[in-house]
Amino acid sequence: MAVVLGIESSCDETAAALVTSDRRIIAQRIASQDEAHAPYGGVVPEIAARAHAERLAPMIEAVMADAGMDYGDLDAVAATAGPGLIGGVMVGLVSAKALAMATGKPLLAINHLEGHALSPRLADGDLGFPYALLLVSGGHCQILRVDGVGRYTRLATTIDDALGEAFDKTAKILGLGYPGGPAVERLAREGDPGVVPLPRPLVGSGEPHFSFAGLKSAVVRAKESGRFRDADLAASFQQAALDCVLDRLRVALDHADAMPALVVAGGVAANQVIRAALEQFARERGMRFVAPPLALCTDNAAMIGWAGCERLASGQDDPLDFQARPRWPLDPDAEPVRGAGYKA
Ligand code: KG4
Ligand code: ZN
């Protein structure tokens, strides 16, 4: 049984966790920076990096103390090495390098997306490869085929905004603050999803990619028209986004070899309406549906520690001069998508 320290600092959560190869989270701590970024309506990289630098070392000490462990008890040190905001990533990665160096234990430079991609296997010991993964967060929006540790095939990506980003922008338009996803979901419960006519970008297209920019612009126009209640806007947006997700998923899976399970990961997987719809979608296709517990969906260090355990078990580790990578696609061979701005 191996114990791996996981460190996450790629966006606005500072987190550390101790995870074992037999799927136990021995200790974990997480500090959100929501309040620091709220006045700006989004994450400010410089503020994020400074906050990680201030909080991470004491947090690692606290996690070790929570577990009653010494650094010598670790089998490896894992940290997010990208993709993400480079200042924050470097704080976590350099901390991990220092610990690996001092303890003489392996360093694991983890792709944050691999953390999300493998997190369902931490929660569910029965989930084997391959599986279809819908990865939907603030920065990422992809459908992947996961064949093993380090073996990812991208089936679809977004040509503009990520799904979580669309939720965050809608929240901003409706004056709900940041982070927006949970606030939009809450307000949507009081609204009617059929009231505001909104587009479903790319629905019906034979390519499985996503697009949410046009949906966001339509929400802006609907809000400015003054004709709709905010709750109806929130509910109609959520429904339109969900319709896009289900249609895109259908196209992606129809084009791919059959997979026994559908897995959702990333912050948007915390949305109960989307989760329920995905569960039904999977059932109709005869697929098992796996969604990690909410705390494992949004950014956390347990998923980084777990990805470390998986990579350690498959005999992989990384050199001490490993470079932080602000951009780091899970499937480097995937063709660029026409019209796409960068999304990892
Ligand atoms: O995975 P995550 O914590 O960070 C990234 O790697 O981006 O995802 C955060 C994203 C944000 O865009 C947030 O608004 C969205 O996930 N999110 C939600 C919900 N909870 C978080 N979106 C919709 N409904 C939710 N309940
Ligand atoms: Zn994430």
Side-chain angles (χ1 to χ4, degrees):
M1 197 262 304
V3 183
V4 176
L5 171 66
I7 295 171
E8 162 59 35
S9 59
S10 65
C11 191
D12 59 345
E13 322 282 350
T14 313
L18 286 163
V19 181
T20 67
S21 53
D22 58 359
R23 297 189 160 77
R24 283 178 299 127
I25 301 172
I26 307 179
Q28 65 173 326
R29 292 197 178 214
I30 182 159
S32 147
Q33 303 171 7
D34 286 351
E35 279 173 25
H37 301 291
Y40 307 96
V43 179
V44 183
E46 169 87 19
I47 293 175
R50 286 172 183 270
H52 291 305
E54 182 184 326
R55 294 174 183 177
L56 183 58
M59 182 179 282
I60 293 170
E61 289 247 278
V63 162
M64 298 301 292
D66 290 347
M69 286 177 61
D70 295 320
Y71 294 105
D73 300 329
L74 297 175
D75 292 287
V77 185
T80 295
L85 301 172
I86 191 71
V89 169
M90 289 192 21
V91 171
L93 180 59
V94 171
S95 304
K97 286 180 177 183
L99 284 171
M101 199 164 57
T103 56
K105 298 295 166 61
L107 168 74
L108 295 152
I110 304 293
N111 183 320
H112 178 87
L113 301 174
E114 180 162 56
H116 280 301
L118 297 175
S119 66
R121 283 167 49 85
L122 168 58
D124 185 333
D126 295 330
L127 178 63
F129 301 114
Y131 52 86
L133 172 69
L134 174 69
L135 176 51
V136 277
S137 70
H140 324 293
C141 189
Q142 303 185 357
I143 303 169
L144 296 146
R145 177 186 171 93
V146 181
D147 279 297
V149 179
R151 296 177 58 208
Y152 309 96
T153 308
R154 196 194 72 193
L155 305 176
T157 188
T158 178
I159 64 166
D160 42 56
D161 295 346
L163 180 56
E165 196 177 355
F167 269 91
D168 292 334
K169 286 178 175 173
T170 296
K172 205 168 175 178
I173 295 161
L174 300 180
L176 298 177
Y178 176 87
V184 170
E185 182 181 10
R186 227 174 293 124
L187 185 59
R189 277 186 219 127
E190 295 154 30
D192 180 341
V195 166
V196 187
L198 293 172
R200 270 79 173 150
L202 293 184
V203 164
S205 148
E207 296 264 327
H209 301 303
F210 297 93
S211 168
F212 293 107
L215 175 56
K216 180 213 67 186
S217 309
V219 173
V220 172
R221 286 193 297 275
K223 170 71 181 170
E224 283 172 359
S225 76
R227 290 169 48 215
F228 305 106
R229 290 169 58 227
D230 282 358
D232 291 338
L233 273 165
S236 301
F237 160 77
Q238 186 170 263
Q239 186 61 49
L242 176 57
D243 289 348
C244 294
V245 168
L246 295 179
D247 180 74
R248 310 292 62 216
L249 206 47
R250 196 171 295 121
V251 174
L253 297 184
D254 284 350
H255 281 66
D257 291 339
M259 287 169 268
L262 172 66
V263 173
V264 63
V268 186
N271 185 296
Q272 296 298 334
V273 175
I274 293 178
R275 259 171 120 99
L278 289 171
E279 185 164 15
Q280 192 188 336
F281 172 92
R283 201 180 313 124
E284 285 166 10
R285 296 184 72 101
M287 297 171 85
R288 233 188 110 201
F289 177 66
V290 178
L294 299 189
L296 272 183
C297 287
T298 48
D299 285 350
N300 66 89
M303 70 180 191
I304 303 303
W306 173 251
C309 288
E310 295 248 39
R311 290 198 46 216
L312 195 66
S314 55
Q316 305 172 33
D317 68 348
D318 296 296
L320 287 175
D321 63 354
F322 192 97
Q323 292 260 12
R325 298 183 62 178
R327 299 177 177 198
W328 188 359
L330 268 186
D331 177 2
D333 299 329
E335 299 268 323
V337 179
R338 212 151 67 99
Y342 167 74
K343 295 287 165 215

Short mmCIF file of all heavy atoms in Angstrom, two decimals, residues 64-119:
data_model
loop_
_atom_site.label_atom_id
_atom_site.label_comp_id
_atom_site.label_asym_id
_atom_site.label_seq_id
_atom_site.Cartn_x
_atom_site.Cartn_y
_atom_site.Cartn_z
N MET A 64 -0.29 16.69 7.05
CA MET A 64 0.59 15.66 7.63
C MET A 64 0.25 15.46 9.10
O MET A 64 0.19 14.32 9.59
CB MET A 64 2.07 16.05 7.49
CG MET A 64 2.57 16.20 6.06
SD MET A 64 2.41 14.73 5.02
CE MET A 64 3.60 13.63 5.80
N ALA A 65 0.02 16.57 9.80
CA ALA A 65 -0.32 16.49 11.24
C ALA A 65 -1.68 15.81 11.43
O ALA A 65 -1.84 14.97 12.32
CB ALA A 65 -0.33 17.89 11.85
N ASP A 66 -2.65 16.14 10.57
CA ASP A 66 -3.98 15.50 10.66
C ASP A 66 -3.84 13.99 10.59
O ASP A 66 -4.57 13.25 11.26
CB ASP A 66 -4.88 15.94 9.49
CG ASP A 66 -5.32 17.41 9.59
OD1 ASP A 66 -5.14 18.01 10.67
OD2 ASP A 66 -5.83 17.94 8.57
N ALA A 67 -2.92 13.52 9.73
CA ALA A 67 -2.74 12.08 9.52
C ALA A 67 -1.78 11.47 10.53
O ALA A 67 -1.63 10.24 10.58
CB ALA A 67 -2.24 11.83 8.10
N GLY A 68 -1.10 12.31 11.30
CA GLY A 68 -0.10 11.81 12.23
C GLY A 68 1.07 11.17 11.50
O GLY A 68 1.63 10.18 11.96
N MET A 69 1.43 11.72 10.36
CA MET A 69 2.50 11.12 9.55
C MET A 69 3.70 12.06 9.42
O MET A 69 3.58 13.27 9.55
CB MET A 69 1.98 10.81 8.15
CG MET A 69 1.05 9.60 8.12
SD MET A 69 0.40 9.30 6.47
CE MET A 69 1.90 9.00 5.58
N ASP A 70 4.86 11.46 9.15
CA ASP A 70 6.06 12.22 8.83
C ASP A 70 6.30 12.17 7.33
O ASP A 70 5.84 11.24 6.66
CB ASP A 70 7.28 11.61 9.53
CG ASP A 70 7.17 11.72 11.03
OD1 ASP A 70 6.71 12.77 11.51
OD2 ASP A 70 7.52 10.73 11.71
N TYR A 71 7.09 13.12 6.84
CA TYR A 71 7.37 13.14 5.40
C TYR A 71 8.05 11.84 4.95
O TYR A 71 7.86 11.39 3.81
CB TYR A 71 8.20 14.37 5.03
CG TYR A 71 7.42 15.66 5.23
CD1 TYR A 71 7.68 16.51 6.31
CD2 TYR A 71 6.40 16.00 4.36
CE1 TYR A 71 6.94 17.66 6.51
CE2 TYR A 71 5.65 17.16 4.55
CZ TYR A 71 5.93 17.99 5.63
OH TYR A 71 5.19 19.12 5.81
N GLY A 72 8.80 11.24 5.85
CA GLY A 72 9.48 9.98 5.52
C GLY A 72 8.51 8.85 5.25
O GLY A 72 8.86 7.84 4.64
N ASP A 73 7.25 9.00 5.72
CA ASP A 73 6.25 7.94 5.50
C ASP A 73 5.66 7.98 4.09
O ASP A 73 4.95 7.05 3.69
CB ASP A 73 5.08 8.09 6.49
CG ASP A 73 5.53 7.98 7.94
OD1 ASP A 73 6.51 7.27 8.19
OD2 ASP A 73 4.91 8.63 8.82
N LEU A 74 5.94 9.06 3.36
CA LEU A 74 5.35 9.19 2.02
C LEU A 74 6.04 8.25 1.03
O LEU A 74 7.25 8.01 1.12
CB LEU A 74 5.51 10.62 1.49
CG LEU A 74 4.79 11.72 2.28
CD1 LEU A 74 5.15 13.09 1.72
CD2 LEU A 74 3.28 11.50 2.25
N ASP A 75 5.27 7.74 0.06
CA ASP A 75 5.85 6.94 -1.00
C ASP A 75 6.12 7.76 -2.25
O ASP A 75 6.89 7.34 -3.12
CB ASP A 75 4.94 5.75 -1.33
CG ASP A 75 4.90 4.77 -0.19
OD1 ASP A 75 5.91 4.07 0.00
OD2 ASP A 75 3.90 4.76 0.55
N ALA A 76 5.44 8.91 -2.37
CA ALA A 76 5.66 9.80 -3.52
C ALA A 76 4.98 11.13 -3.24
O ALA A 76 4.12 11.23 -2.36
CB ALA A 76 5.09 9.19 -4.80
N VAL A 77 5.40 12.14 -4.01
CA VAL A 77 4.78 13.46 -3.89
C VAL A 77 4.24 13.84 -5.27
O VAL A 77 4.99 13.84 -6.26
CB VAL A 77 5.79 14.53 -3.42
CG1 VAL A 77 5.09 15.86 -3.19
CG2 VAL A 77 6.48 14.08 -2.13
N ALA A 78 2.94 14.15 -5.33
CA ALA A 78 2.29 14.47 -6.61
C ALA A 78 1.76 15.89 -6.57
O ALA A 78 1.16 16.30 -5.57
CB ALA A 78 1.14 13.49 -6.86
N ALA A 79 1.98 16.64 -7.64
CA ALA A 79 1.40 17.98 -7.72
C ALA A 79 0.91 18.24 -9.13
O ALA A 79 1.47 17.72 -10.10
CB ALA A 79 2.44 19.04 -7.34
N THR A 80 -0.13 19.07 -9.24
CA THR A 80 -0.58 19.51 -10.55
C THR A 80 0.54 20.30 -11.21
O THR A 80 1.07 21.25 -10.62
CB THR A 80 -1.83 20.39 -10.42
OG1 THR A 80 -2.90 19.60 -9.92
CG2 THR A 80 -2.23 20.99 -11.76
N ALA A 81 0.92 19.92 -12.43
CA ALA A 81 2.00 20.62 -13.16
C ALA A 81 1.44 21.33 -14.38
O ALA A 81 2.19 21.83 -15.21
CB ALA A 81 3.07 19.62 -13.55
N GLY A 82 0.12 21.40 -14.51
CA GLY A 82 -0.55 22.07 -15.61
C GLY A 82 -1.75 21.24 -16.01
O GLY A 82 -1.93 20.15 -15.46
N PRO A 83 -2.61 21.65 -16.91
CA PRO A 83 -2.68 23.03 -17.37
C PRO A 83 -3.34 23.91 -16.30
O PRO A 83 -4.00 23.38 -15.42
CB PRO A 83 -3.58 22.93 -18.61
CG PRO A 83 -4.44 21.72 -18.36
CD PRO A 83 -3.63 20.79 -17.52
N GLY A 84 -3.13 25.19 -16.39
CA GLY A 84 -3.73 26.09 -15.42
C GLY A 84 -2.99 27.41 -15.40
O GLY A 84 -2.18 27.70 -16.29
N LEU A 85 -3.27 28.21 -14.38
CA LEU A 85 -2.63 29.52 -14.25
C LEU A 85 -1.20 29.28 -13.77
O LEU A 85 -0.97 28.68 -12.72
CB LEU A 85 -3.40 30.39 -13.25
CG LEU A 85 -4.87 30.61 -13.65
CD1 LEU A 85 -5.63 31.31 -12.53
CD2 LEU A 85 -4.96 31.39 -14.95
N ILE A 86 -0.24 29.75 -14.56
CA ILE A 86 1.14 29.31 -14.41
C ILE A 86 1.73 29.65 -13.03
O ILE A 86 2.47 28.86 -12.44
CB ILE A 86 2.04 29.85 -15.57
CG1 ILE A 86 3.40 29.18 -15.55
CG2 ILE A 86 2.16 31.36 -15.52
CD1 ILE A 86 3.37 27.75 -15.97
N GLY A 87 1.39 30.83 -12.48
CA GLY A 87 1.94 31.23 -11.18
C GLY A 87 1.54 30.24 -10.10
O GLY A 87 2.38 29.78 -9.32
N GLY A 88 0.29 29.90 -10.06
CA GLY A 88 -0.21 28.96 -9.06
C GLY A 88 0.37 27.57 -9.27
O GLY A 88 0.80 26.89 -8.32
N VAL A 89 0.41 27.12 -10.52
CA VAL A 89 0.96 25.80 -10.83
C VAL A 89 2.39 25.70 -10.34
O VAL A 89 2.80 24.70 -9.73
CB VAL A 89 0.89 25.51 -12.35
CG1 VAL A 89 1.69 24.26 -12.70
CG2 VAL A 89 -0.55 25.35 -12.81
N MET A 90 3.17 26.78 -10.55
CA MET A 90 4.58 26.73 -10.15
C MET A 90 4.74 26.66 -8.64
O MET A 90 5.64 25.98 -8.14
CB MET A 90 5.33 27.92 -10.73
CG MET A 90 5.45 27.68 -12.22
SD MET A 90 6.52 28.66 -13.25
CE MET A 90 7.68 29.36 -12.26
N VAL A 91 3.86 27.32 -7.90
CA VAL A 91 3.92 27.24 -6.43
C VAL A 91 3.77 25.78 -5.99
O VAL A 91 4.56 25.26 -5.19
CB VAL A 91 2.81 28.10 -5.78
CG1 VAL A 91 2.71 27.84 -4.28
CG2 VAL A 91 3.07 29.59 -6.05
N GLY A 92 2.78 25.08 -6.53
CA GLY A 92 2.53 23.69 -6.13
C GLY A 92 3.62 22.76 -6.61
O GLY A 92 4.10 21.89 -5.86
N LEU A 93 4.03 22.92 -7.87
CA LEU A 93 5.02 22.01 -8.44
C LEU A 93 6.38 22.16 -7.74
O LEU A 93 7.03 21.16 -7.42
CB LEU A 93 5.16 22.27 -9.95
CG LEU A 93 6.17 21.38 -10.69
CD1 LEU A 93 5.82 19.90 -10.55
CD2 LEU A 93 6.24 21.76 -12.17
N VAL A 94 6.78 23.40 -7.49
CA VAL A 94 8.08 23.61 -6.84
C VAL A 94 8.05 23.09 -5.40
O VAL A 94 9.04 22.52 -4.92
CB VAL A 94 8.50 25.10 -6.92
CG1 VAL A 94 9.72 25.37 -6.07
CG2 VAL A 94 8.77 25.49 -8.37
N SER A 95 6.93 23.25 -4.73
CA SER A 95 6.81 22.69 -3.37
C SER A 95 6.98 21.18 -3.41
O SER A 95 7.66 20.59 -2.57
CB SER A 95 5.44 23.04 -2.77
OG SER A 95 5.24 24.43 -2.77
N ALA A 96 6.32 20.55 -4.40
CA ALA A 96 6.41 19.09 -4.52
C ALA A 96 7.84 18.65 -4.83
O ALA A 96 8.33 17.65 -4.30
CB ALA A 96 5.45 18.60 -5.60
N LYS A 97 8.51 19.40 -5.69
CA LYS A 97 9.90 19.07 -6.02
C LYS A 97 10.78 19.13 -4.78
O LYS A 97 11.63 18.26 -4.55
CB LYS A 97 10.45 20.05 -7.07
CG LYS A 97 9.90 19.81 -8.46
CD LYS A 97 10.51 20.83 -9.43
CE LYS A 97 10.03 20.57 -10.85
NZ LYS A 97 10.64 21.48 -11.83
N ALA A 98 10.58 20.18 -3.98
CA ALA A 98 11.40 20.33 -2.76
C ALA A 98 11.17 19.16 -1.81
O ALA A 98 12.13 18.61 -1.25
CB ALA A 98 11.06 21.66 -2.08
N LEU A 99 9.91 18.75 -1.66
CA LEU A 99 9.61 17.63 -0.76
C LEU A 99 10.17 16.32 -1.32
O LEU A 99 10.71 15.49 -0.56
CB LEU A 99 8.10 17.51 -0.56
CG LEU A 99 7.49 18.55 0.38
CD1 LEU A 99 5.96 18.48 0.32
CD2 LEU A 99 7.97 18.31 1.82
N ALA A 100 10.05 16.14 -2.64
CA ALA A 100 10.58 14.92 -3.25
C ALA A 100 12.09 14.86 -3.07
O ALA A 100 12.67 13.81 -2.76
CB ALA A 100 10.20 14.87 -4.74
N MET A 101 12.72 16.01 -3.25
CA MET A 101 14.17 16.09 -3.13
C MET A 101 14.61 15.79 -1.70
O MET A 101 15.52 15.00 -1.46
CB MET A 101 14.58 17.52 -3.51
CG MET A 101 16.01 17.71 -3.89
SD MET A 101 16.18 19.29 -4.74
CE MET A 101 15.55 20.43 -3.54
N ALA A 102 13.91 16.40 -0.73
CA ALA A 102 14.31 16.24 0.67
C ALA A 102 14.06 14.82 1.17
O ALA A 102 14.80 14.31 2.01
CB ALA A 102 13.55 17.25 1.54
N THR A 103 13.00 14.17 0.67
CA THR A 103 12.67 12.82 1.15
C THR A 103 13.29 11.73 0.28
O THR A 103 13.28 10.57 0.67
CB THR A 103 11.13 12.60 1.14
OG1 THR A 103 10.64 12.85 -0.18
CG2 THR A 103 10.43 13.51 2.12
N GLY A 104 13.76 12.09 -0.89
CA GLY A 104 14.30 11.08 -1.81
C GLY A 104 13.21 10.23 -2.43
O GLY A 104 13.49 9.16 -2.98
N LYS A 105 11.96 10.67 -2.38
CA LYS A 105 10.84 9.90 -2.95
C LYS A 105 10.49 10.44 -4.34
O LYS A 105 10.83 11.57 -4.68
CB LYS A 105 9.61 10.01 -2.02
CG LYS A 105 9.85 9.43 -0.64
CD LYS A 105 10.07 7.93 -0.71
CE LYS A 105 10.66 7.36 0.58
NZ LYS A 105 9.85 7.52 1.77
N PRO A 106 9.81 9.62 -5.15
CA PRO A 106 9.51 10.05 -6.52
C PRO A 106 8.60 11.28 -6.58
O PRO A 106 7.73 11.45 -5.73
CB PRO A 106 8.80 8.84 -7.14
CG PRO A 106 8.99 7.71 -6.21
CD PRO A 106 9.35 8.25 -4.87
N LEU A 107 8.86 12.10 -7.61
CA LEU A 107 7.98 13.23 -7.93
C LEU A 107 7.02 12.77 -9.02
O LEU A 107 7.42 12.11 -9.98
CB LEU A 107 8.81 14.40 -8.47
CG LEU A 107 8.01 15.54 -9.12
CD1 LEU A 107 7.32 16.37 -8.05
CD2 LEU A 107 8.91 16.42 -9.99
N LEU A 108 5.75 13.15 -8.87
CA LEU A 108 4.78 12.88 -9.93
C LEU A 108 4.18 14.21 -10.35
O LEU A 108 3.48 14.86 -9.58
CB LEU A 108 3.70 11.92 -9.43
CG LEU A 108 4.27 10.53 -9.09
CD1 LEU A 108 3.46 9.83 -8.03
CD2 LEU A 108 4.37 9.68 -10.34
N ALA A 109 4.51 14.62 -11.57
CA ALA A 109 3.99 15.88 -12.12
C ALA A 109 2.69 15.54 -12.84
O ALA A 109 2.70 14.90 -13.89
CB ALA A 109 5.00 16.49 -13.08
N ILE A 110 1.59 15.92 -12.23
CA ILE A 110 0.28 15.44 -12.70
C ILE A 110 -0.40 16.45 -13.61
O ILE A 110 -0.44 17.65 -13.31
CB ILE A 110 -0.65 15.16 -11.48
CG1 ILE A 110 0.00 14.16 -10.51
CG2 ILE A 110 -2.03 14.69 -11.94
CD1 ILE A 110 0.16 12.76 -11.04
N ASN A 111 -0.95 15.95 -14.71
CA ASN A 111 -1.84 16.75 -15.55
C ASN A 111 -3.16 16.89 -14.79
O ASN A 111 -3.81 15.89 -14.46
CB ASN A 111 -2.03 16.05 -16.90
CG ASN A 111 -2.89 16.86 -17.85
OD1 ASN A 111 -3.87 17.47 -17.45
ND2 ASN A 111 -2.52 16.85 -19.12
N HIS A 112 -3.55 18.14 -14.50
CA HIS A 112 -4.80 18.39 -13.76
C HIS A 112 -6.00 17.67 -14.39
O HIS A 112 -6.87 17.16 -13.68
CB HIS A 112 -5.03 19.91 -13.75
CG HIS A 112 -6.27 20.35 -13.07
ND1 HIS A 112 -6.34 20.59 -11.71
CD2 HIS A 112 -7.51 20.61 -13.55
CE1 HIS A 112 -7.57 20.97 -11.40
NE2 HIS A 112 -8.30 20.99 -12.49
N LEU A 113 -6.01 17.61 -15.71
CA LEU A 113 -7.12 16.95 -16.41
C LEU A 113 -7.09 15.45 -16.16
O LEU A 113 -8.13 14.80 -16.09
CB LEU A 113 -7.04 17.23 -17.91
CG LEU A 113 -7.10 18.70 -18.29
CD1 LEU A 113 -6.87 18.88 -19.78
CD2 LEU A 113 -8.42 19.30 -17.88
N GLU A 114 -5.89 14.89 -16.01
CA GLU A 114 -5.78 13.47 -15.67
C GLU A 114 -6.31 13.24 -14.25
O GLU A 114 -6.92 12.21 -13.96
CB GLU A 114 -4.33 12.99 -15.79
CG GLU A 114 -4.17 11.53 -15.46
CD GLU A 114 -2.87 10.91 -15.98
OE1 GLU A 114 -1.80 11.45 -15.64
OE2 GLU A 114 -2.94 9.91 -16.70
N GLY A 115 -6.08 14.23 -13.37
CA GLY A 115 -6.66 14.15 -12.03
C GLY A 115 -8.17 14.03 -12.10
O GLY A 115 -8.77 13.12 -11.50
N HIS A 116 -8.80 14.92 -12.87
CA HIS A 116 -10.26 14.83 -13.04
C HIS A 116 -10.65 13.50 -13.70
O HIS A 116 -11.61 12.86 -13.30
CB HIS A 116 -10.77 15.97 -13.93
CG HIS A 116 -10.93 17.29 -13.22
ND1 HIS A 116 -11.75 17.46 -12.13
CD2 HIS A 116 -10.39 18.51 -13.47
CE1 HIS A 116 -11.72 18.73 -11.74
NE2 HIS A 116 -10.89 19.40 -12.52
N ALA A 117 -9.87 13.11 -14.72
CA ALA A 117 -10.24 11.94 -15.52
C ALA A 117 -10.20 10.64 -14.72
O ALA A 117 -10.99 9.74 -14.95
CB ALA A 117 -9.32 11.83 -16.73
N LEU A 118 -9.25 10.54 -13.77
CA LEU A 118 -9.11 9.30 -13.00
C LEU A 118 -9.85 9.35 -11.67
O LEU A 118 -10.03 8.32 -11.01
CB LEU A 118 -7.62 9.00 -12.75
CG LEU A 118 -6.79 8.74 -14.02
CD1 LEU A 118 -5.31 8.57 -13.67
CD2 LEU A 118 -7.29 7.50 -14.77
N SER A 119 -10.33 10.54 -11.26
CA SER A 119 -10.98 10.69 -9.94
C SER A 119 -12.15 9.72 -9.74
O SER A 119 -12.34 9.25 -8.62
CB SER A 119 -11.43 12.14 -9.71
OG SER A 119 -12.45 12.50 -10.61
#
